[in-house]
Amino acid sequence: MTDSIFLLFLGSIMLYLGSEWIVKGGVAIAEKYGVSTIVIGLTVVAFGTSLPELLVSLNAALQGSTSIAVGNAIGSNVANVGLVLALSALIFPISLNYKLIKRDLWIYLVSCVIFILFSLDGRLSKFEGAFFVSSLLFYIIFSIKMPIKTDNEIEKSNDNNFGEKVLFVIFGIVGLSLGADIFVDGSVYIARFFGISEVVIGMTIVAFGTSLPELATSAMAAYKRESAISIGNIIGSNIFNILCVLGITSIIEPLNSNWGEISFQVLIMIFYGFLIFIASKLTQPINRIFSAMMLCGYILFIYVLF
């Protein structure tokens, strides 16, 4: 048991470091070409911080624990809002510009509805996974080709260490891969040792571990007064978790999605998506009382699951 807890801890550290390297390198690459902050948050940063969810879900599915793969994606989306956004806004001021996020937030909510429709038969097939991945590719191209007009542009950077930033991305991927494998091994053993449903483990321990990169990145962005990167990271990561994580994983290994087991959690996921809408309509920056309520709601969600 002690060994399994150590694996969870070691895996989380490797996931965190790997994601940090990917984000550091990815943002530098994006800045070199003068990409706007909201696009960086929605694409480069979101993809970098969502890689742990992808790798953990892939490893879990290949090991026969497909419930962890689905639970991880759903749980991470709840954690990204109820934990990452709430805690970041509770510590640092984060401002939400409704005009900047409304398009991508609706894309996320529509993705959630499609996920529900696909899950009703209890299985995510290879075809449904391919649909998700195709939608993701269209979303990325659309975000780059049709940036939001009100967003501020970043000046191009003349970084002489560009090759070093690329190495950050490469080493980050390696760290994420190893960390994901270690983390799944520890979490699956703990789930079976205590007789706890793997769906619950995926939505709690695994989801928290793979959401650490989002938490660190969003908190740092908020600290540096880069609210666009912070909120773009959260919304973008949630979109990637549905379209990329579940899409790629179900293409490789069809996933079990028992609607009776995940219906409550999916509804909470959508509820927290609408909370972002509400937060963007209130006085800015996000009120700390509102942030505390979201965080308490997330803690209650975890308590109910157990």
Side-chain angles (χ1 to χ4, degrees):
M1 183 63 185
T2 303
D3 292 341
S4 296
I5 295 175
F6 175 74
L7 288 176
L8 287 179
F9 176 75
L10 179 61
S12 296
I13 294 296
M14 295 184 71
L15 287 168
Y16 170 75
L17 291 176
S19 292
E20 276 295 290
W21 292 335
I22 285 179
V23 170
K24 184 181 294 185
V27 169
I29 292 171
E31 287 181 343
K32 182 176 178 65
Y33 296 100
V35 182
S36 61
T37 54
I38 193 68
V39 172
I40 289 175
L42 288 166
T43 55
V44 177
V45 177
F47 178 72
T49 56
S50 292
L51 277 177
E53 283 89 345
L54 174 59
L55 296 172
V56 165
S57 292
L58 278 173
N59 284 337
L62 292 174
Q63 293 177 23
S65 302
T66 58
S67 295
I68 282 187
V70 175
N72 175 38
I74 298 172
S76 292
N77 281 2
V78 176
N80 283 346
V81 183
L83 176 65
V84 175
L85 177 60
L87 191 58
S88 298
L90 195 60
I91 301 173
F92 307 109
I94 293 180
S95 297
L96 298 181
N97 187 328
Y98 178 71
K99 291 182 180 179
L100 290 181
I101 68 172
K102 64 178 181 179
R103 183 186 72 187
D104 300 279
L105 196 49
W106 276 115
I107 289 173
Y108 166 56
L109 292 174
V110 169
S111 300
C112 290
V113 172
I114 296 174
F115 167 69
I116 292 175
L117 295 176
F118 285 172
S119 299
L120 292 178
D121 62 355
R123 194 168 184 263
L124 288 178
S125 66
K126 291 179 181 290
F127 172 79
E128 290 163 342
F131 177 84
F132 275 153
V133 173
S134 298
S135 299
L136 174 68
L137 294 176
F138 175 80
Y139 166 73
I140 293 173
I141 294 172
F142 180 74
S143 296
I144 295 174
K145 295 293 185 181
M146 300 290 291
I148 300 170
K149 294 180 180 179
T150 54
D151 189 26
N152 295 323
E153 297 297 321
I154 294 179
E155 294 183 2
K156 291 186 177 182
S157 170
N158 295 318
D159 192 348
N160 295 325
N161 297 321
F162 188 67
E164 179 182 315
K165 306 304 182 184
V166 175
L167 287 178
F168 267 122
V169 175
I170 295 173
F171 284 119
I173 292 174
V174 174
L176 284 171
S177 180
L178 294 174
D181 189 50
I182 292 172
F183 200 93
V184 169
D185 287 343
S187 61
V188 170
Y189 180 83
I190 290 176
R192 291 169 179 167
F193 181 83
F194 286 105
I196 299 173
S197 166
E198 288 188 343
V199 172
V200 173
I201 293 295
M203 291 185 182
T204 54
I205 298 175
V206 179
F208 174 76
T210 55
S211 290
L212 286 176
E214 282 91 345
L215 179 58
T217 303
S218 291
M220 183 60 68
Y223 172 72
K224 293 182 177 180
R225 301 182 184 277
E226 293 285 357
S227 293
I229 289 181
S230 183
I231 190 62
N233 172 40
I234 291 167
I235 297 176
S237 292
N238 282 15
I239 293 173
F240 273 83
N241 285 341
I242 297 291
L243 301 183
C244 180
V245 175
L246 293 179
I248 292 178
T249 306
S250 57
I251 288 175
I252 296 175
E253 184 70 31
L255 303 175
N256 294 323
S257 57
N258 189 321
W259 181 245
E261 291 184 354
I262 66 174
S263 57
F264 168 71
Q265 293 87 340
V266 171
L267 292 177
I268 294 298
M269 176 178 70
I270 294 176
F271 171 72
Y272 267 103
F274 278 109
L275 283 185
I276 300 178
F277 265 121
I278 296 173
S280 67
K281 290 292 187 178
L282 299 177
T283 305
Q284 301 302 316
I286 302 176
N287 188 280
R288 282 187 165 86
I289 296 178
F290 188 81
S291 301
M293 290 174 62
M294 288 198 297
L295 183 59
C296 289
Y298 176 73
I299 295 173
L300 179 61
F301 167 73
I302 298 299
Y303 174 79
V304 170
L305 286 183
F306 278 104

